[in-house]
Amino acid sequence: MNSFTIGINDNEQLTLTVLDYERSPVGDFFDDNWLICEVSIRAGAFRGKFRANLLTSELEELHRELRILHDGLQGNYTFEPLEGQLILRISCNNLGHFQINGEAMDQAGIGHRLVFKFSLDQTYLCTALEELSNLIQAFPVRT
């Protein structure tokens, strides 16, 4: 499956699955690089799943910035895609503790909003980084 998961257990977990490119390539960066995704969130007693469109370049940036945080064990990064349906504010301290504050919206601009928070150790990011790398290889940026 073309997905990656961030989280430590079934009660604190975000899974993003890429279903396909939105359309066949036509030679325009934005038209060619939209992905149809499904986002699944488990946050305490709350469960949700919705479709979202993300750009291939946004997933590449997420991978790059997560890798920097993982390797450097310090800093902050905000994943804020163009459509705004999934926002992740990620911070890390020098002990390898990660805090993820997220917002999810089931429809771009007008949807219902879920606010959630996960805490995890850097070791839980290793698998997510590998899965995200595989996802980027399966759906590369089209130029």
Side-chain angles (χ1 to χ4, degrees):
M1 187 182 297
N2 294 313
S3 64
F4 78 96
T5 300
I6 296 176
I8 57 174
N9 59 45
D10 287 343
N11 288 321
E12 290 188 349
Q13 196 170 73
L14 179 139
T15 301
L16 187 142
T17 302
V18 175
L19 304 174
D20 205 349
Y21 288 100
E22 189 175 71
R23 56 184 64 114
S24 299
V26 294
D28 179 80
F29 177 83
F30 285 100
D31 287 342
D32 293 351
N33 285 291
W34 282 108
L35 298 170
I36 303 167
C37 302
E38 183 176 85
V39 179
S40 174
I41 299 172
R42 296 176 179 196
F46 294 95
R47 305 282 186 266
K49 188 181 288 189
F50 61 96
R51 291 257 174 122
N53 292 333
L54 299 171
L55 287 165
T56 54
S57 57
E58 293 169 336
L59 293 182
E60 279 191 346
E61 178 185 314
L62 175 62
H63 181 261
R64 182 178 58 252
E65 296 297 328
L66 277 178
R67 172 64 65 198
I68 289 169
L69 288 176
H70 178 270
D71 294 347
L73 294 182
Q74 64 180 4
N76 301 293
Y77 167 64
T78 299
F79 176 69
E80 193 165 2
L82 190 61
E83 293 287 318
Q85 285 185 268
L86 180 64
I87 298 170
L88 302 174
R89 291 175 185 86
I90 306 164
S91 60
C92 175
N93 67 24
N94 61 355
L95 298 175
H97 298 129
F98 282 77
Q99 181 77 33
I100 300 172
N101 293 298
E103 295 178 33
M105 193 179 333
D106 60 358
Q107 292 182 358
I110 60 168
H112 299 94
R113 184 179 306 269
L114 173 67
V115 177
F116 58 93
K117 178 170 53 172
F118 300 156
S119 297
L120 56 127
D121 183 85
Q122 82 178 103
T123 57
Y124 289 99
L125 279 184
C126 294
T127 301
L129 284 167
E130 183 178 327
E131 291 172 347
L132 191 49
S133 177
N134 292 337
L135 187 60
I136 291 167
Q137 289 176 18
F139 294 94
V141 173
R142 294 170 168 171
T143 55

